[in-house]
C-alpha cells in the first residue's frame, strides 16, 4: 500500500492570512524567526487574527537560520508550559521546520532527537495541538511537507526529519507575505523549488499522484522565476504557488542526491553556511548528468514539458542542463563549489567523509540511480572543479 498525504486545507491568494480568524481553539503559540515578520507587520496581523478567533497567544521568537536541536528543545519546553492547541509557525523554512520538531517533543516529552532521525518513525501527534504553517519565502514548501531539517551543530550535520505526522494541518500560502523577500533569497528559494520538483519527478517514489504536481511546478518556475527575481509582483505570487506544488510532489515522492549533498555540505565548511537553495542550484546540473547516465527518460520528459527540443533523450537532457546553467547565471549563482569559496585544502580534507555522509542521507534512497561512496566523491570533485560527470 502506498500513501499520498497533504494538509487538510491550503488557503491561498492575497489576504489568505485572514483565515486565522476562523480557527477554533483556546491557546495558540506563534513560532517565528529573526524579525522580518515583525518589521513587515505580518507577525502583528497573525497575533491580532488569532486574538479575534478568541485565542490566548504566546510568542516563541528568534528561531535562527538552520535551527538547532537546542532551539527545538527550548521551544518544546515553552509549549509544555503554555499548552497550546494550535501551533502557528510563520516565516521562512527555519521557524516552520523548528516548530514541526518542537511539536513532536511537546506532545511526546519522553522522545529523544535520536528516536526520530529514522524516517517515518514518529509517535502519533494531534493529541494536544494542530499545526498551521505560513511561509514567507517561496522555496522550502515546508508548509505542505512531511519534512523538517534540524542541524546538530556539534556534529556539523543537518538531519532531514521525515514523517507524515508533521505534515501541517493547514497551510496558508499568501503571496503578500512572500512579496517582501530580498532578491538573493528569491533566487535561492526558487532554485530550491525547481530542485524539489525535478528530484520528485525522477524519484524512485514518483507516482501518478505526484508527477502532474512536479511537472506543473517545473513549468511555472521556468516561466516565472526570472521576473520574480526582478521584483514582478504577479511572478512572485506564481512562484509562491509553484514552490507549494513542488512541495506537494516531493513530500510524497521524496527527493534525491542533490539534497543529500546539500544537507551534508551546508554546515560542514569553516566560514559561512552554503545556503540550502544555493547549494542545490550549484549541484543540480552535475547530479542530472550522473543520474541521466543511468536512465535519461524522465529527464527527457521534463525537458519536453519545458519546451526544450532535442532529437533524442541525450539531446533533451543536455538542453535541460543548459537551461538550468543559464538560470544560475541569470540569478548570479556560482557554477562550482570552488567558485562559491570553499578552500581547496579544506575540500580535499573533508571530501571522503562528506561523500560517505551523503550516501547515508535520508534523501539518497529515492535517487533514481544507485551511488557508492566512491561515485559520490567523484560527483563532489566534479562539482568542486566544474568538470563533466562522465562516469
Ligand atoms: Fe530543499
Amino acid at each position: 500500500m502506498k500513501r499520498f498525504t497533504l494538509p487538510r486545507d491550503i488557503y491561498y491568494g492575497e489576504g489568505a492570512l485572514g483565515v486565522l480568524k476562523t480557527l477554533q481553539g483556546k491557546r495558540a503559540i506563534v513560532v517565528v524567526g529573526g524579525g522580518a515578520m515583525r518589521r513587515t507587520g505580518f507577525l502583528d496581523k497573525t497575533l491580532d487574527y488569532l486574538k479575534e478567533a478568541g485565542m490566548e497567544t504566546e510568542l516563541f521568537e528568534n528561531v535562527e537560520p538552520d535551527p538547532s536541536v537546542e532551539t527545538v528543545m527550548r521551544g518544546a519546553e515553552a509549549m509544555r508550559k503554555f499548552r497550546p492547541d494550535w501551533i502557528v509557525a510563520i516565516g521562512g523554512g527555519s521557524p516552520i521546520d523548528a516548530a514541526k520538531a518542537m511539536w513532536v517533543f511537546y506532545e511526546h516529552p519522553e522522545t529523544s532527537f535520536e528516536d526520530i532521525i529514522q524516517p517515518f518513525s514518529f509517535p502519533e501527534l494531534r493529541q494536544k495541538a494542530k499545526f498551521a504553517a505560513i511561509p514567507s519565502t517561496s522555496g522550502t514548501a515546508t508548509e505542505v511537507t512531511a519534512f523538517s531539517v534540524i542541524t546538530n551543530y556539534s556534529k556539523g550535520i543537518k538531519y532531514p526529519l521525515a514523517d507524515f505526522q508533521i505534515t501541517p494541518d493547514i497551510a496558508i500560502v499568501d503571496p503578500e507575505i512572500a512579496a517582501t523577500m530580498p532578491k538573493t533569497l528569491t533566487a535561492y528559494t526558487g532554485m530550491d523549488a525547481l530542485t524539489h520538483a525535478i528530484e520528485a519527478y525522477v524519484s524512485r517514489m514518483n507516482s501518478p499522484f505526484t508527477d502532474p504536481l512536479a511537472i506543473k511546478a517545473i513549468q511555472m518556475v521556468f516561466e516565472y522565476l526570472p521576473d520574480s527575481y526582478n521584483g514582478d509582483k504577479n511572478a512572485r505570487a506564481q512562484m509562491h504557488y509553484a514552490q507549494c506544488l513542488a512541495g506537494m510532489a516531493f513530500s510524497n515522492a521524496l527527493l534525491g542526491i542533490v539534497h543529500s549533498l546539500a544537507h551534508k555540505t551546508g554546515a560542514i565548511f569553516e566560514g559561512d553556511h552554503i545556503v540550502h537553495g544555493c547549494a542545490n542550484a550549484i549541484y543540480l546540473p552535475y547530479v542530472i548528468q550522473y543520474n541521466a547516465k543511468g536512465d535519461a527518460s524522465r529527464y527527457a520528459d521534463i525537458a519536453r514539458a519545458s519546451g526544450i527540443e532535442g532529437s533524442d533523450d541525450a539531446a533533451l537532457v543536455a538542453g535541460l542542463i543548459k537551461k538550468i546553467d543559464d538560470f544560475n547565471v541569470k540569478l548570479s549563482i556560482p557554477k562550482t563549489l570552488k567558485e562559491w569559496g570553499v578552500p581547496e585544502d579544506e575540500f580535499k580534507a573533508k571530501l571522503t567523509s562528506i561523500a560517505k555522509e551523503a550516501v547515508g542521507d535520508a534523501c539518497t534512497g529515492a535517487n533514481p540511480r544507485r551511488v557508492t561512496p566512491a561515485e559520490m566523491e567523484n560527483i563532489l570533485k566534479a562539482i568542486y572543479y566544474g568538470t563533466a560527470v562522465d562516469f
Side-chain angles (χ1 to χ4, degrees):
M1 184 174 63
K2 292 173 182 172
R3 181 174 176 181
F4 180 81
T5 298
L6 296 176
R8 170 76 172 75
D9 286 299
I10 296 167
Y11 296 97
Y12 64 96
E14 280 188 22
L17 186 64
V19 74
L20 290 175
K21 287 188 273 194
T22 68
L23 297 190
Q24 305 280 319
K26 291 197 179 75
R27 283 177 299 277
I29 192 164
V30 176
V31 180
V32 68
M37 288 302 97
R38 190 181 275 289
R39 280 195 303 279
T40 50
F42 290 110
L43 180 58
D44 283 340
K45 266 193 185 171
T46 298
L47 293 167
D48 288 348
Y49 288 149
L50 290 167
K51 281 173 193 149
E52 243 181 273
M55 281 194 254
E56 191 188 333
T57 59
E58 183 161 295
L59 257 185
F60 187 88
E61 284 187 275
N62 299 318
V63 173
E64 70 278 23
D66 300 327
S68 66
V69 178
E70 290 74 19
T71 297
V72 168
M73 294 307 174
R74 273 196 301 115
E77 181 60 35
M79 288 175 188
R80 285 197 289 271
K81 281 198 186 121
F82 182 62
R83 294 181 296 113
D85 38 31
W86 275 100
I87 298 166
V88 177
I90 178 166
S94 297
I96 300 174
D97 278 10
K100 284 171 160 179
M102 291 168 189
W103 188 15
V104 179
F105 302 112
Y106 164 43
E107 299 218 7
H108 297 276
E110 75 290 352
T111 304
S112 74
F113 188 73
E114 285 66 34
D115 291 337
I116 61 168
I117 288 174
Q118 182 68 25
F120 301 97
S121 65
F122 284 33
E124 193 171 336
L125 299 180
R126 298 173 175 78
Q127 321 284 328
K128 293 180 182 168
K130 290 203 277 190
F131 194 104
I134 309 161
S136 68
T137 62
S138 303
T140 70
T142 185
E143 73 276 9
V144 291
T145 73
F147 307 121
S148 158
V149 181
I150 302 299
T151 302
N152 180 328
Y153 282 87
S154 58
K155 292 188 180 165
I157 291 177
K158 292 187 169 192
Y159 288 99
L161 306 176
D163 197 297
F164 290 122
Q165 288 293 339
I166 56 169
T167 301
D169 297 282
I170 291 181
I172 300 174
V173 187
D174 186 335
E176 281 185 350
I177 304 175
T180 59
M181 264 194 308
K183 215 170 165 176
T184 312
L185 195 61
T186 303
Y188 293 167
T189 53
M191 291 307 286
D192 188 25
L194 180 67
T195 308
H196 292 155
I198 293 178
E199 293 212 284
Y201 189 80
V202 303
S203 161
R204 285 171 181 265
M205 299 276 290
N206 75 67
S207 77
F209 294 86
T210 56
D211 283 352
L213 293 162
I215 289 289
K216 181 69 182 172
I218 292 164
Q219 290 169 334
M220 288 175 78
V221 173
F222 281 147
E223 182 169 356
Y224 294 112
L225 182 53
D227 287 346
S228 174
Y229 179 66
N230 290 319
D232 180 83
K233 200 170 165 231
N234 175 54
R236 280 282 170 102
Q238 296 303 319
M239 277 303 300
H240 209 39
Y241 304 149
Q243 64 86 32
C244 186
L245 296 177
M248 293 186 230
F250 90 82
S251 187
N252 291 282
L254 307 183
L255 294 165
I257 61 173
V258 180
H259 271 78
S260 305
L261 286 163
H263 292 145
K264 270 33 183 188
T265 52
I268 197 79
F269 298 112
E270 301 291 326
D272 293 345
H273 288 188
I274 309 174
V275 179
H276 176 71
C278 181
N280 283 332
I282 299 172
Y283 308 163
L284 181 60
Y286 300 93
V287 169
I288 294 178
Q289 288 177 56
Y290 176 78
N291 284 343
K293 286 258 179 312
D295 180 359
S297 62
R298 289 186 69 85
Y299 289 108
D301 291 347
I302 293 171
R304 276 188 291 265
S306 309
I308 293 163
E309 288 175 11
S311 51
D312 57 11
D313 282 3
L316 286 161
V317 173
L320 177 64
I321 291 170
K322 174 152 192 322
K323 188 157 178 116
I324 295 164
D325 283 340
D326 290 348
F327 258 61
N328 282 345
V329 171
K330 260 187 233 167
L331 303 174
S332 302
I333 289 167
K335 196 169 167 46
T336 65
L337 264 185
K338 189 173 189 175
E339 198 185 308
W340 187 85
V342 175
E344 190 168 12
D345 48 350
E346 193 187 3
F347 172 76
K348 282 183 173 163
K350 293 177 174 171
L351 173 62
T352 304
S353 86
I354 295 170
K356 187 167 160 272
E357 288 288 344
V359 170
D361 188 270
C363 290
T364 302
N367 192 68
R369 187 177 166 197
R370 289 286 166 245
V371 58
T372 64
E375 285 163 335
M376 195 67 101
E377 268 193 42
N378 287 333
I379 295 168
L380 273 160
K381 282 187 208 155
I383 290 169
Y384 189 84
Y385 295 104
T387 49
V389 179
D390 49 9
F391 47 87

